[in-house]
């Protein structure tokens, strides 16, 4: 080996060693700061879970989150026009946004809860409560992580936002309202839905549809004089059921799904033939599927002799938010995914490796998230990272490991540095 080559290899090794030494010091300091914040961070977490935020009512929980961001010295804290709570920190040219929906589903039958669904219970280090997993568990780590990143100089080059948004059942509406109405378009987004403390890089999309069938009413005693809309809908329901197993599949995202989730009818009375029947369809879509192709497939399930009595309709969301603002949103939520080699995905995996010495492929959600808007509609690079396992979302046994809630803070604080390295 030549002397020049030997010198070059030594210089390269010294550079790698120096970088590792610096990173080790960063991790040590990060661990120290998170440990010091642990008690305050968990109190904040318990506080926001204890505030019910169902049925789009996030005003009170948003206020509590805003108070914490103000206490931590965020540069700007405000409620946007649609009603999301927003915190801004840093002043760099790149915009990094941390996204967490802060509303929850309801509690269902109260008698099914052996504990207060909002005060919750702690068992074996897990916190059981409504919203603890989906998705308030990521908020403390995001808020504290950004403050710690600022204090450690890890946000250099970034303006960061925390967006605590609304309407968790209409993925992306609060996000697009933020972009369109506030005029802020992120360069990168981290979605705080539960990922078992792994990086996720995509999921299937969703299309919500309503099928309406018209009939003719008549007295039930003379039902032969009517045209029962429910009976006419039955072949369509059966066709939907049978088509589920035949839907397109993708090697990463998995197979599309279709489900009739609700059925209703209209009749002059309980003693009359119904003259209208409606079904609601949840259709999970993968790559290569469009709203038009989905609707066409459903229309083919309608018997030709009754086709004139049916309509298949796309839906929009136009309910006022808690501020009274209305943002009309098409209920089509595209599938999306980043490549395993995408610099943002790699940055997330590098953060996990540096913090906890874990390797592994990035995963995906089985349900849908605001990534449908961020990446699916707006094309913004997005990854997911959050504490807890998604399979417990919306369930009575919804829970999240408290240690994960605290540890996630480190990921949110370190990620900007890793992203800079990989950009």
């Amino acid at each position: 080996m030549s002397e020049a080559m030997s010198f070059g290899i030594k210089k390269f090794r010294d550079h790698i060693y120096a970088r590792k030494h610096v990173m080790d010091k960063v991790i040590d300091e990060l661990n120290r700061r998170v440990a010091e914040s642990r008690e305050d961070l968990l109190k904040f977490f318990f506080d926001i879970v204890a505030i019910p935020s169902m049925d789009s009512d996030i005003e009170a929980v948003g206020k509590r989150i805003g108070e914490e961001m103000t206490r931590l010295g965020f540069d700007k804290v405000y409620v946007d026009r649609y009603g999301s709570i927003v915190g801004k920190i840093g002043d760099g040219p790149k915009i990094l946004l941390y996204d967490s929906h802060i509303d929850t589903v309801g509690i269902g039958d109260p008698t099914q809860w052996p504990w207060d669904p909002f005060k919750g219970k702690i068992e074996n280090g897990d916190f059981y409560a409504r919203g603890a997993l989906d998705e308030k568990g990521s908020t403390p780590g995001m808020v504290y992580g950004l403050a710690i990143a600022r204090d450690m100089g890890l946000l250099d080059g970034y303006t960061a936002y925390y967006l605590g948004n609304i309407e968790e059942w209409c993925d992306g509406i609060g996000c697009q309202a933020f972009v369109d109405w506030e005029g802020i378009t992120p360069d990168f987004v981290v979605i705080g839905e539960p990922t078992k403390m792994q990086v996720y890089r995509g999921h299937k999309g969703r299309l919500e549809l309503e099928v309406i069938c018209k009939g003719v009413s008549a007295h039930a005693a003379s039902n032969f004089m009517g045209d029962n809309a429910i009976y006419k809908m039955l072949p369509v329901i059966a066709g939907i059921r049978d088509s589920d197993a035949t839907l397109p599949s993708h090697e990463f995202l998995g197979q599309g799904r279709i489900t009739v989730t609700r059925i209703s009818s209209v009749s002059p009375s309980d003693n009359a033939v119904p003259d209208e029947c409606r079904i609601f369809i949840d259709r999970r879509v993968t790559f290569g599927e469009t709203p038009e192709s989905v609707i066409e497939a459903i229309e083919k399930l309608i018997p030709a002799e009754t086709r004139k009595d049916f309509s298949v309709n796309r839906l929009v969301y136009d309910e006022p938010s808690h501020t009274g603002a209305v943002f009309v949103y098409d209920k089509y939520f595209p599938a999306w995914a980043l490549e395993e080699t995408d610099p943002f995905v790699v940055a997330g995996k590098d953060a996990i490796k540096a913090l906890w010495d874990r390797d592994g492929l990035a995963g995906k959600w089985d349900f849908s998230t605001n990534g449908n808007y961020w990446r699916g509609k707006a094309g913004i690079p997005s990854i997911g990272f959050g504490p807890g396992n998604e399979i417990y979302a919306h369930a009575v046994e919804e829970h999240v490991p408290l240690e994960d809630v605290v540890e996630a803070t480190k990921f949110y604080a370190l990620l900007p540095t890793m992203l800079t390295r990989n950009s």
Side-chain angles (χ1 to χ4, degrees):
M1 182 183 297
S2 69
E3 183 177 344
M5 182 177 294
S6 177
F7 176 77
I9 291 174
K10 182 180 183 302
K11 187 175 182 181
F12 176 74
R13 286 175 177 169
D14 289 346
H15 174 70
I16 295 298
Y17 176 79
R19 285 188 62 177
K20 184 179 185 306
H21 180 66
V22 170
M23 181 55 65
D24 287 346
K25 290 181 66 176
V26 168
I27 299 299
D28 287 346
E29 178 66 10
L30 185 53
N31 287 337
R32 184 186 69 79
R33 288 176 182 259
V34 171
E36 287 182 350
S37 301
R38 181 187 180 92
E39 186 175 335
D40 289 340
L41 186 149
L42 287 178
K43 181 183 183 304
F44 173 46
F45 178 43
F46 296 143
D47 283 353
I48 63 175
V49 171
I51 301 172
S53 53
M54 304 173 292
D55 301 322
S56 305
D57 184 7
I58 67 167
E59 184 174 5
V61 73
K63 180 180 178 183
R64 177 64 185 89
I65 294 169
E67 290 171 352
E68 199 73 7
M69 290 192 290
T70 298
R71 189 182 74 81
L72 291 170
F74 275 60
D75 299 333
K76 188 176 182 181
V77 177
Y78 64 99
V79 176
D80 74 8
R81 177 178 163 190
Y82 194 62
S84 299
I85 183 70
V86 182
K88 174 181 176 290
I89 194 166
D91 59 0
K94 290 289 187 180
I95 297 177
L96 172 64
L97 184 141
Y98 287 172
D99 165 352
S100 178
H101 73 73
I102 57 175
D103 57 347
T104 74
V105 297
I107 62 172
D109 181 359
T111 64
Q112 293 186 6
W113 290 82
W115 52 87
D116 186 306
F118 301 108
K119 291 182 180 178
K121 70 167 183 174
I122 299 174
E123 188 174 283
N124 298 322
D126 294 330
F127 181 51
Y128 290 74
R130 173 57 80 227
L133 173 76
D134 186 23
E135 179 195 347
K136 294 176 180 178
S138 61
T139 293
M142 288 179 165
V143 169
Y144 274 77
L146 287 175
I148 290 172
R150 172 204 58 204
D151 295 343
M152 290 181 61
L154 303 179
L155 267 185
D156 291 350
Y158 292 95
T159 297
Y161 287 88
Y162 168 78
L163 180 68
N165 54 81
I166 188 173
E167 316 290 32
E168 73 109 10
W169 49 85
C170 186
D171 307 321
I173 187 170
C175 308
Q176 185 167 352
F178 174 74
V179 171
D180 288 3
W181 286 352
E182 305 301 316
I184 299 166
T185 302
D187 296 291
F188 306 97
V189 172
V190 180
I191 301 157
E193 297 273 11
T195 67
K196 304 187 289 291
M197 300 289 280
Q198 302 170 16
V199 171
Y200 279 14
R201 62 181 180 91
H203 55 71
K204 285 177 286 192
R206 187 171 88 254
L207 177 63
E208 297 184 6
L209 299 167
E210 188 177 55
V211 180
I212 303 175
C213 175
K214 295 293 187 178
V216 177
S217 183
H219 197 290
S222 304
N223 58 8
F224 58 89
M225 297 180 64
D227 185 14
N228 194 312
I230 293 177
Y231 294 168
K232 292 165 72 175
M233 186 68 79
L234 292 178
V236 178
I237 296 174
I240 290 171
R241 177 199 63 203
D242 296 341
S243 69
D244 183 69
T246 68
L247 297 177
S249 186
H250 181 267
E251 60 181 358
F252 175 64
L253 297 182
Q255 187 176 3
R257 297 293 180 192
I258 187 167
T259 308
V260 176
T261 61
R262 188 171 65 245
I263 182 169
S264 64
S265 64
V266 176
S267 176
S269 76
D270 289 342
N271 309 109
V273 173
D275 57 16
E276 181 181 282
C277 181
R278 294 176 180 238
I279 60 171
F280 183 91
I281 297 173
D282 180 303
R283 176 66 161 85
R284 303 288 158 151
V285 297
T286 188
F287 287 136
E289 299 186 279
T290 66
E292 292 74 22
S293 68
V294 169
I295 290 172
E296 181 181 1
I298 292 172
E299 289 176 338
K300 288 180 179 178
L301 300 175
I302 302 171
E305 62 271 20
T306 59
R307 180 68 188 85
K308 62 180 177 55
D309 300 323
F310 279 81
S311 61
V312 181
N313 305 314
R314 292 177 64 165
L315 301 176
V316 298
Y317 189 86
D318 58 2
E319 295 294 321
S321 73
H322 72 92
T323 66
V326 174
F327 191 91
V328 179
Y329 198 77
D330 182 16
K331 299 182 82 170
Y332 170 53
F333 312 89
W336 68 279
L338 293 186
E339 295 296 327
E340 188 77 28
T341 55
D342 185 274
F344 199 14
V345 175
V346 173
K349 294 197 296 183
D350 284 350
I352 290 174
K353 178 68 174 179
L355 289 166
W356 305 298
D357 196 25
R358 294 202 320 261
D359 294 305
L361 297 176
K364 67 178 187 297
W365 288 283
D366 285 330
F367 57 44
S368 60
T369 75
N370 286 335
N372 284 319
Y373 167 71
W374 292 121
R375 182 60 179 178
K377 292 184 178 180
I380 298 169
S382 304
I383 61 172
F385 183 88
N389 190 327
E390 68 186 85
I391 65 172
Y392 298 109
H394 299 189
V396 171
E397 63 268 27
E398 177 178 358
H399 67 275
V400 64
L402 288 175
E403 193 61 30
D404 285 359
V405 173
V406 176
E407 286 291 293
T409 309
K410 301 173 184 178
F411 177 91
Y412 299 128
L414 186 62
L415 181 64
T417 292
M418 294 305 193
L419 181 54
T420 296
R421 286 186 169 195
N422 285 278
S423 296

